[in-house]
Amino acid sequence: MIRIGLKSLVLGLVVAGLIAFAGVQHLFDIRRVLSLQPEVLWLIGCLASFISLGLAFFLRSGRESPYHLAIGRHEYRRPGSLPLLTVKGYGIWMGVQDEESASEFGRVSFALISGLGLLVFGLIILQNRSLVLLQHFYHNMTKDYGHICRKEGEEIVVAKPPKMGCELVKKAFALGYTKDLGDCADDPADQDEEICTHRQWDEPAAHYSYRLVERFIKTLLTGSSPLKVDTEKLPELVESHVQGFLGVPRSVIHIFTDLPEPGSWLTKARRRLHPNHCQDELRELRFRMTEQGAEPGAQLEDTLNHLLFSPAVGRNADYCRPYIIHWGAAANTCSELMSKGEAALDTYDVRQSIDAVMKRPKPLVSFHCLVAAGSAPAHGTLSYAGQTFKVDAVTLPTAGPDGIFPSNELFAAVAQVFVPEFAYNNLDRNRPLNLSEDRFQSEIARSGDNLMLAKFELLRSSDVLAGDQWVYRYPQYMDVYPWQPHIANFVSRFRKAYRQNEEKP
Amino acid sequence: MKALLFLLTLASAAQAADDRIKPSTRGLFDRIIVPVIPTPEPEEPLPAEPVTAPVEPTPVPKPPMVAHKTVKPQANPDLRIQYLERLIQSVRSLPETERMRLQTEAEAVFSGVCRSSDPTLALSCSFEAAAHICSISPNQGACLSMIDALVVERLNANRFISARERYEMMARGEPMNKALDYRYGSLVAAFSLSKAGACNANDFHCLALGIDDYCQNKARQGHLSYQSCAALIGLFIGRND
C-alpha cells in the first residue's frame, strides 16, 4: 500500500502540471529565457525563493499531512478511509493521519520543489512588460477609469469649450438675423436629465466592476456588442497573440556571405549562446575609419549595424534579431535559392526559421547575398508555402591591398542588397557644395600651421560615402574626419528607401 | 583642477539660469561668462592704429592660392597635441581686452562679411578675416590660435542649441550666449571629470593630450566633431586661469 501525504501530493501534481504546460509552450527555450531582462529574472528568482520558504513555513512542511491518499489492494486499506476509486481488488482511498506515517517530502525537499514550481510559474506569467505593469500597479488600480455620478442635488459646473465659429452664429441668432442655430445648438442630450449609469459616488469598486462585467456579457449575448468577434478568424487571432506572447519573430531576414565569421572563438561562442548579442554590439559601434587589420567580416558587420540597427544615426532602426547572418556561405547560395526554390531551404538550414515566422500573419521573409567579387548581382524570388519571398544578391567591392573595403562602395553594396535601386550620390550629400581635393589643398596651405581646427572643419564638406575618396590620401586627417554627419545622412536616406521598399506589394 | 572647473561650471550654470545675479564688480565669472564689449583700460592701452581703424586694417600680403601637390601633414597626433597646447597657452597669454575684442570680431565676421549658407564658403572667408583681425594684434600667433577656436565655436554654436530652443529664447528675448556658456561648461566639466582630464591646471601638455584623446572619443561616439570639442575645451580652460 502506497500512502502519500496530501500536501506533498498536491505540490507534486501542481509542479508537474506547471512544468508540463511550460514545456508544451516552449517556455524553457534558452533563447526565450535569455531574452528576458535581468531584472525580470531576478524578480522571478526572488519571488520563488521567498514564497517557497513562506509556503514551507506556513504549511508546516516538516509535519505529516492531516490527510493522505492510499493506493493499493483493498485488504490493506485503513478502516474509516474514504474510497475515491476502486477497480476490482485495487483502489484509491483518502484517509486521515494515524499511527502509520505517509510518505512526504522532507522540509528541504518541500521548499526546493515548491521553489522550482514557482520559478516555472514565474516564467509563465512574467514578461519584460510585467515589470512596468508592476511599477504602475498602484496608479492603475487607483486611477479614475470613468465618470462618477454626482450626488443628489449636487451641481457640477463643467466649463465646456465653445464650438469653433459658433460665437458669431449665436450672436446672429440672438439679434434675429438667423432662425436656426444649426450645429451650434446645444446638444439636447446635455439638457435632459438621464439616469446615470456610471459609477455611483458611494459605489464600491468591486460592485462597479461586477456591473461592468455584467453589462459586457449582456451586450455579447444580445449581439449588440461593438466588439464583433469573427469566429472564423478567432483561431488565427488567438494564435497570433500566443506567438506574440512566446516571442516568435514576425520576420526573418537571411543574409549570406562568403566572408569568414569575424572575431575570436570567444566572440563566436557568445554570438551563439547569447541571442541578444547583436544589441550589445551596437553599444560598441563607433564612427571611425576602418582600422588597419580589421577583418572583412567585421567591416561588413559594422556597415550592417550602421545601416540597419544603430539608433545613434537616425530613426527607424530595426531590431537585429530577425537578421541572421550566415558566414562562410557558398558564393552561389542565392542563385541556388532562386533556381531550386523550396528544395534549397534544407541545404542552407533555414526552413525551421521560416516555418516559425509563417505562423504569424503577414510574415516578412527575405534572402540577401553579399558575396566577394567575381559573382554577378542577381535579383529573383523564392516560392514557399504559397508565398513569394525576395532573393537579392550583390557583389562586395574589391578590398584594397590592406584588406580594407572602400567605405563608399561597401555602404552602397550593403544598401543595394536590401534596396536594389538605392543610390547615394552628389545630390544626396549633407552640404550643397562639396570640397574638391584642390580646394582642400589650397585651403590648408593657408596661414601655415595656424587655424588647424578651422581647417578640420572643412572636412565636413567632403563626404567619403558620396565618393570623395581623395580624403583617404590624407591619412593624418582621417583621425579627425567627421564620420557621424555623413554616415547619418546616408543611413537616413537608406532607411527611408528601405521602408518604402518593404511597403511595396 | 577638476574641483576648480566643476565649481566654475556650476557657477556659470547658475549665472546663466538667473539673470538677476550680477556681480557688483567685474570679477572672474563676469569676464568669462558675460562677454561684454570691452572698455579700453588705461593700464593696457591698445595700439593706436587698430583702435582708430579696426574695420579696415592695413592690407596683409595674402598667401598664394595655388593648389599644392604635396600637403604638409598638419594633423598628425603630435602636431595636434602641440597645437592644442599652444591654443591654451595663447588664450591664457592674451589680455582680457584682446580676448573680448577677438570674441566680438569673430561674432561680427559670421554675422557680417562671412555670412553664408554654405559653411565651406564661410570658412574660406573666415581664414581671410582671421588674418586681417590678427594683423593688428600685438601677439599675432596667440591671436590666430584663439580666433581659430572662436571660428569653430561660432560655426558649431547651433549644434548646441536646437532650432526650437533658439526660437523660444528669441521669443523670450533671452541672450543665447548664456545658454551656450552653460552648455560649454557642461562639456568641460565632463572632460575634467573624465580620466583624460586628470591633469594639473598648469600642465598644458597633459591637458592637450587629454583633450585630443577625449575629443577623438567624442567624435567616434558621434556626439560632437573633434574640432568643435577641442576648440570649446581649449577656449574654456585658457580663459579660466
Side-chain angles (χ1 to χ4, degrees), chain A residues 10 26 43 61 94 123 126 180 182 237 266 274 281 338 356 362 380 388 405 410 419 452 456 466 479:
Chain A
V10 170
H26 306 290
L43 181 69
S61 56
M94 174 77 82
L123 280 177
L126 288 177
D180 186 16
L237 194 67
L266 199 64
H274 185 18
E281 283 175 6
M338 281 184 260
K362 294 181 186 174
T388 306
F405 291 118
L410 184 60
V419 188
M452 182 191 272
F456 291 168
D479 278 349

Side-chain angles (χ1 to χ4, degrees), chain A residues 285-288 291 312 431-435 438-458 460-461 474 476-477 479-484, chain B residues 63 65-69 71-77 79-80 83 86 118-121 123-124 127-128 130 144 147-148 151-152 155-156 159 216 219-222 225-227 231:
Chain A
L285 198 59
R286 291 286 182 269
F287 300 94
R288 63 180 166 209
E291 286 165 359
R431 292 187 172 181
L433 294 179
N434 66 325
L435 182 72
D438 284 346
R439 177 84 182 271
F440 176 68
Q441 285 186 345
S442 68
E443 294 289 359
I444 59 173
R446 283 199 205 187
S447 310
D449 290 339
N450 293 313
L451 304 175
M452 182 191 272
L453 299 175
K455 287 170 186 171
F456 291 168
E457 189 70 25
L458 281 170
R460 276 184 181 269
S461 301
Y474 306 93
Q476 70 274 18
Y477 282 90
D479 278 349
V480 293
Y481 182 75
W483 284 100
Q484 196 275 341
Chain B
M65 295 283 287
V66 181
H68 294 252
K69 291 296 170 196
V71 174
K72 197 177 170 187
Q74 287 185 326
N76 70 44
L79 285 175
R80 281 201 313 263
Y83 188 84
R86 207 172 78 203
D118 183 71
T120 316
L121 292 178
L123 265 172
S124 291
F127 290 166
E128 305 259 348
L144 280 170
I147 202 87
D148 180 29
V151 162
V152 174
L155 277 175
N156 289 281
R159 293 176 211 284
Q216 279 200 55
R220 285 172 185 166
Q221 287 166 357
S225 68
Y226 171 86
Q227 60 274 11

